[in-house]
Amino acid sequence: MGSRFASHQLSNGLYVSGRPEQSKERPITMSSTAMPYTGGDIKKSGELGKMFDIPVDGSKSRKSGPVGNPPMRTGSFGGAASHSGPITNSTSRASYSTSGPVTSGMGGGPTGGSNRQKSSSGPLNKHGDPIKKSSGPQSGGVTPAARQNSGPQAPVLPATGLITSGPITSGPLNSSGAPRKFSGPLDSMGSLKLHSTSIVNNQAVTNLSQEDDYSFKRNFPKPILWSVILLFVMGFIAGGFILAAVHNPILLVVVVVLFSFVAALFTWNNCWGRKGVTGFIAQYPDAELRTAKDGQYVKVSGVVTCGNVPLESSFQRVPRCVYTCTSLYEYRGCDSKAANAAHRRFTWGLRSLERHVVDFYISDFQSGLRALVKTGYGARVTPYVDESVVVDVNPSNKDMSPDFVRWLRDRNLSSDDRVMRLREGYIKEGSTVSVMGVVQRNENVLMIVPPPEPLSTGCQWGKCILPASLEGIVLRCEDSSKIDVIPV
């Protein structure tokens, strides 16, 4: 029985409506110029080369837009035409036939079943196959030979492919090479180490060492000390020679008396020199910030207020501090170990020291103004803050303070049979402090900064105290446990 509509059979056995296509060539309507044959060279592909930031050969640039009657380009790929842009329905239907020869809608005859070619929109790769485009990660187990991404690439995810909120923490890598992410609260040791590391690495925190303490040996000029030692050596030699030659001991007696007086003076200053400096700071007159001039060296007494980075004491965990100091001392007997290299027998030696200071505000008692004290960011600071004994441990009661044992363990310090003493001092918010420094006015901001040169205390003849040097900003605060804190 005949059909009203004409139909014909393709080479693969499929019946389609319409008459067979004629052998004459018909123009194709395209929205852009045809992609030229590149021969596998990506530099000749035009827009594709620009996507990968590859310089394109040739100085001519192609413009997108409808082109009428473009020239037909055929190659040795089974007569399949490659187009850059949308194509008509007849061309699309003919180009995506999966079995049998492809007729490309341009009158090209069949080329045999062995040269079946699938044409798609885009350039060809070096093997003559069209490059597969994708705008995201591929799903499934098929890996394309070449992939073109439009837009930025997605970040490298762990092997599980799970996307979590927040950045991936830095640390060791897992078996797949992705950073290992930890979840859950940290233990006390981990949080303590993290807190101590953040304090040490924070630029706003000034870490003070033992050299910032008062020491008569460091304050006394070295040339004068060696000159005095040389004079006494020469005096002893001359006195001994005269005593042996003429049997006159007068010179030797005078040298011995002078040496005893100088040695007693040095010993007195070594023991009471710090007290003499604190007495000098107490007698120094207070200045008013309202009338202080720019660049004037002043002493200001007032109430402390924390800045942007408050501190916490190491052992007692006192919050809202601007200065903290925790020191561990050990007593060395006959057979006990030394706390440091310079630790002598039958004395207390410093074994561990943690001392930090940051910028803070001080409200002047005289004028009521508030000034910013620049003691952070590595500034030079000389603290004179009283410390109180927190823990006094000997071999008989070393297990009575579990907090102290935990404090030692967290810092990898041994807790064997040693006589130890833990002292801690701090300046917390609301404490009364005396600050000595240089006033600096910057528009409406009033600051106290370290002086360019150290301040000399001068000789205190009534107390037999030799001069001492005060470098940087001087902080003076009495024992925090003995004073009443003024709430802010």
Side-chain angles (χ1 to χ4, degrees), residues 417-454:
D417 296 338
R418 300 187 182 189
V419 179
M420 294 177 286
R421 176 175 295 174
L422 182 67
R423 303 177 66 94
E424 191 169 61
Y426 50 84
I427 300 176
K428 62 180 178 179
E429 193 173 45
S431 301
T432 301
V433 178
S434 296
V435 178
M436 300 178 68
V438 175
V439 175
Q440 182 177 345
R441 297 182 181 272
N442 187 5
E443 296 180 354
N444 296 328
V445 179
L446 183 62
M447 296 185 296
I448 299 178
V449 298
E453 297 180 357

Side-chain angles (χ1 to χ4, degrees), residues 331-338 344-347:
Y331 183 81
R332 185 182 182 185
C334 296
D335 301 331
S336 58
K337 299 179 181 179
R344 299 186 300 272
R345 297 185 183 275
F346 307 107
T347 58

Side-chain angles (χ1 to χ4, degrees), residues 42-222:
I42 197 173
K43 296 183 179 180
K44 299 179 182 180
S45 61
E47 298 297 331
L48 181 61
K50 293 180 180 180
M51 293 181 182
F52 293 93
D53 296 332
I54 298 176
V56 181
D57 295 339
S59 59
K60 296 182 180 180
S61 61
R62 294 191 299 270
K63 299 181 180 179
S64 300
V67 179
N69 299 329
M72 182 191 67
R73 301 187 64 91
T74 58
S76 59
F77 297 96
S82 176
H83 307 285
S84 174
I87 57 179
T88 58
N89 294 335
S90 61
T91 308
S92 173
R93 182 170 58 250
S95 300
Y96 282 89
S97 298
T98 57
S99 61
V102 179
T103 59
S104 74
M106 294 181 292
T111 58
S114 61
N115 290 331
R116 284 173 288 184
Q117 178 67 27
K118 182 178 178 180
S119 176
S120 60
S121 173
L124 304 177
N125 58 13
K126 63 181 181 179
H127 299 292
D129 298 330
I131 296 178
K132 186 176 180 181
K133 292 185 178 181
S134 61
S135 59
Q138 297 288 338
S139 61
V142 180
T143 303
R147 188 173 68 186
Q148 179 180 357
N149 296 322
S150 59
Q153 295 182 356
V156 179
L157 300 176
T160 58
L162 179 62
I163 301 177
T164 58
S165 61
I168 300 177
T169 57
S170 59
L173 302 179
N174 55 18
S175 58
S176 63
R180 183 177 301 170
K181 188 171 184 178
F182 300 93
S183 60
L186 297 175
D187 55 356
S188 59
M189 182 178 297
S191 60
L192 176 63
K193 292 181 179 180
L194 188 62
H195 180 263
S196 60
T197 304
S198 63
I199 290 179
V200 174
N201 296 332
N202 196 343
Q203 296 181 356
V205 180
T206 300
N207 301 314
L208 304 178
S209 61
Q210 188 180 4
E211 297 179 357
D212 298 308
D213 286 337
Y214 170 82
S215 176
F216 175 74
K217 296 179 181 179
R218 288 193 298 267
N219 280 273
F220 196 81
K222 295 297 187 298

Side-chain angles (χ1 to χ4, degrees), residues 264-437:
L265 183 63
F266 281 14
T267 304
W268 176 267
N269 279 268
N270 192 25
C271 297
W272 302 96
R274 178 184 172 88
K275 189 174 182 179
V277 173
T278 55
F280 171 81
I281 297 174
Q283 295 177 0
Y284 199 90
D286 292 335
E288 293 186 10
L289 291 177
R290 189 186 306 275
T291 59
K293 299 180 180 180
D294 190 11
Q296 179 182 354
Y297 191 90
V298 296
K299 172 194 171 185
V300 179
S301 299
V303 180
V304 169
T305 306
C306 290
N308 296 330
V309 185
L311 298 177
E312 185 182 55
S313 62
S314 176
F315 183 75
Q316 301 182 67
R317 298 295 183 186
V318 179
R320 306 289 297 175
C321 295
V322 300
Y323 168 87
T324 59
C325 178
T326 305
S327 53
L328 177 64
Y329 294 89
E330 289 186 2
Y331 183 81
R332 185 182 182 185
C334 296
D335 301 331
S336 58
K337 299 179 181 179
N340 52 66
H343 190 192
R344 299 186 300 272
R345 297 185 183 275
F346 307 107
T347 58
W348 289 93
L350 182 64
R351 185 180 182 186
S352 175
L353 178 65
E354 298 178 7
R355 183 159 50 186
H356 313 287
V357 62
V358 293
D359 293 346
F360 63 92
Y361 294 93
I362 183 171
S363 299
D364 183 20
F365 284 151
Q366 302 291 331
S367 59
L369 295 180
R370 191 174 74 161
L372 175 62
V373 184
K374 299 293 293 182
T375 53
Y377 295 94
R380 181 64 176 172
V381 181
T382 303
Y384 289 94
V385 181
D386 293 344
E387 301 175 0
S388 58
V389 178
V390 181
V391 179
D392 209 345
V393 179
N394 53 54
S396 60
N397 63 349
K398 66 176 183 178
D399 297 330
M400 295 181 62
S401 178
D403 294 337
F404 178 69
V405 176
R406 188 183 305 110
W407 187 87
L408 292 176
R409 184 174 62 251
D410 293 340
R411 285 153 182 80
N412 295 326
L413 298 176
S414 60
S415 58
D416 48 3
D417 296 338
R418 300 187 182 189
V419 179
M420 294 177 286
R421 176 175 295 174
L422 182 67
R423 303 177 66 94
E424 191 169 61
Y426 50 84
I427 300 176
K428 62 180 178 179
E429 193 173 45
S431 301
T432 301
V433 178
S434 296
V435 178
M436 300 178 68

Side-chain angles (χ1 to χ4, degrees), residues 438-480:
V438 175
V439 175
Q440 182 177 345
R441 297 182 181 272
N442 187 5
E443 296 180 354
N444 296 328
V445 179
L446 183 62
M447 296 185 296
I448 299 178
V449 298
E453 297 180 357
L455 176 67
S456 178
T457 59
C459 291
Q460 302 179 28
W461 299 108
K463 300 179 181 179
C464 297
I465 301 296
L466 297 178
S469 298
L470 301 178
E471 298 183 359
I473 293 181
V474 179
L475 295 180
R476 173 59 182 152
C477 182
E478 297 181 358
D479 189 0
S480 301

